Amino acid sequence: MKNIILIGMMGCGKTTVGELLASRLKRTLVDTDKLIERQEGMTIPEIFETQGEPYFRSLEVGVAQALSLRQDLIIACGGSHVRLKTERYRDRAGPGPRGHFRHRRHDRPPPGSGGTGGLSGEDRPAGPHLRKMGRRYREGLYLPHLHRRPGEGGGGDHRLLGQYRREQNAMKFLIINGPNLNLLGQREPEVYGREGYQALCERLKAFAAAHGSTADCFQSNHEGAIVDAIQAAQGVYDAIILNPGAYTHYSVAILDALKAVEVPCVEVHISNIHRREEFRPKNVTAPGCVGQITGLGLYGYEAAMGYFLDPRGKR
């Protein structure tokens, strides 16, 4: 499979996120700066001091060319790697997912003080100046090469992981059903149909498998258990399909849980809630979702999953 390439300013978290992605995807992480240091037997500041910047840049080119011939890697590039006069990563390895990370730490030691980075000249600011330098010199270099910009505030690993799975059509769905949906097939079959809950779960798992994905089903008649399930989905699932049942009309707790996690959700209702009792169109939980599907029967679940699986879907 294609490599996942992480680019960004030094100290912004590429290696940390790379380690998490490598663990979850069972891939090898290659940090280009550390690879060069191992090959040369000295730190990057030492390479700059003893061999000069042109020599270091030639090492970076060699590493880029060598890694472009491999696949299934997580590659954390050096802070200045994007400046190379080479398109080896893009042209030879293909347009794999790339993440651009903004600088978020101000306490990392500058080059020459024991840290890494291999920066010189315009690239030698320390502390808070890194953010200014990133905007002034690097932003225009990073942007043309990225597919995904996790941004600041953490969580870049699961956002990139979700993007990767979508590109591979290998998503992990969590199907959550609320109160009384365990009685599907028995409860008002003229409204909810005659297919039972277990049959629904098997149907959705088969649908996911047919698209190279997986689906786990969860059902509870208790509001707190549903809130717990939504919270636990963070960093584990790529999308939630939620039928909150009657909780849709009044559960602020479920709404808050949906808004608290970064897992996109589509709300599903088997019946057309807008054609039923007067109270049913009132919806509290939908504002926490990217969309709502109502009135399509059990097919609504598959339609919601299809939205996330279709690369044209807006996510």
Side-chain angles (χ1 to χ4, degrees):
M1 294 184 181
K2 296 175 182 177
N3 296 326
I4 295 178
I5 302 171
L6 308 178
I7 60 175
M9 294 288 293
M10 72 172 188
C12 67
K14 301 184 298 294
T15 299
T16 299
V17 170
E19 290 172 347
L20 292 168
L21 288 173
S23 174
R24 295 184 185 190
L25 294 175
K26 308 302 180 185
R27 290 196 184 192
T28 299
L29 170 66
V30 177
D31 185 305
T32 59
D33 281 350
K34 292 181 179 178
L35 178 59
I36 290 174
E37 288 181 331
R38 287 197 300 269
Q39 290 178 349
E40 296 299 302
M42 63 181 77
T43 67
I44 292 175
E46 290 172 341
I47 296 174
F48 265 76
E49 183 177 352
T50 61
Q51 305 295 329
E53 180 172 354
Y55 179 75
F56 175 73
R57 300 305 176 198
S58 70
L59 295 177
E60 287 189 307
V61 172
V63 166
Q65 292 174 337
L67 293 180
S68 71
L69 300 177
R70 300 175 59 185
Q71 293 185 334
D72 297 325
L73 298 177
I74 308 293
I75 302 174
C77 294
S80 59
H81 214 93
V82 73
R83 298 176 63 192
L84 295 177
K85 300 299 184 181
T86 177
E87 290 294 320
R88 296 290 184 176
Y89 285 136
R90 181 182 293 274
D91 296 339
R92 297 286 294 278
R98 274 178 286 278
H100 166 214
F101 296 82
R102 287 182 174 272
H103 179 69
R104 55 181 170 79
R105 291 176 54 193
H106 306 299
D107 58 346
R108 181 165 175 154
S113 62
T116 62
L119 309 181
S120 66
E122 71 186 36
D123 294 338
R124 196 181 283 277
H129 299 293
L130 280 171
R131 183 182 296 275
K132 180 179 178 181
M133 191 268 279
R135 290 195 300 266
R136 182 174 179 182
Y137 296 111
R138 296 283 178 76
E139 199 80 357
L141 296 174
Y142 291 133
L143 294 178
H145 298 277
L146 70 91
H147 287 176
R148 174 70 178 178
R149 184 176 189 160
E152 298 178 277
D157 57 307
H158 65 255
R159 286 196 289 272
L160 278 175
L161 185 62
Q163 184 214 11
Y164 169 79
R165 285 176 174 153
R166 285 193 291 274
E167 290 180 354
Q168 301 297 318
N169 283 330
M171 298 193 67
K172 292 185 67 174
F173 291 101
L174 176 60
I175 316 296
I176 300 178
N177 282 290
N180 297 309
L181 287 161
N182 56 312
L183 298 179
L184 280 176
Q186 306 173 39
R187 174 194 174 202
E188 300 180 82
E190 69 281 1
V191 175
Y192 298 101
R194 300 187 180 279
E195 190 169 344
Y197 175 72
Q198 290 302 322
L200 170 64
C201 291
E202 293 173 5
R203 169 176 171 170
L204 298 181
K205 289 181 179 182
F207 180 87
H211 293 82
S213 302
T214 61
D216 292 328
C217 294
F218 173 82
Q219 188 278 328
S220 179
N221 296 320
H222 306 285
E223 182 181 33
I226 295 173
V227 169
D228 289 341
I230 293 172
Q231 292 180 358
Q234 179 84 4
V236 178
Y237 293 95
D238 303 311
I240 296 172
I241 311 301
L242 169 67
N243 185 339
Y247 284 134
T248 192
H249 309 304
Y250 58 87
S251 180
V252 175
I254 292 177
L255 169 65
D256 288 344
L258 291 170
K259 294 169 69 174
V261 300
E262 296 181 345
V263 185
C265 176
V266 168
E267 183 172 295
V268 171
H269 292 283
I270 297 172
S271 66
N272 186 342
I273 59 176
H274 302 285
R275 298 184 63 181
R276 298 185 62 192
E277 297 95 328
E278 183 177 349
F279 69 89
R280 291 197 185 271
K282 179 182 178 181
N283 194 298
V284 172
T285 55
C289 303
V290 298
Q292 182 189 74
I293 297 174
T294 178
L296 298 184
L298 301 187
Y299 173 71
Y301 293 89
E302 296 173 349
M305 296 167 71
Y307 165 78
F308 288 110
L309 290 167
D310 190 335
R312 297 170 297 179
K314 294 181 180 180
R315 291 180 286 279

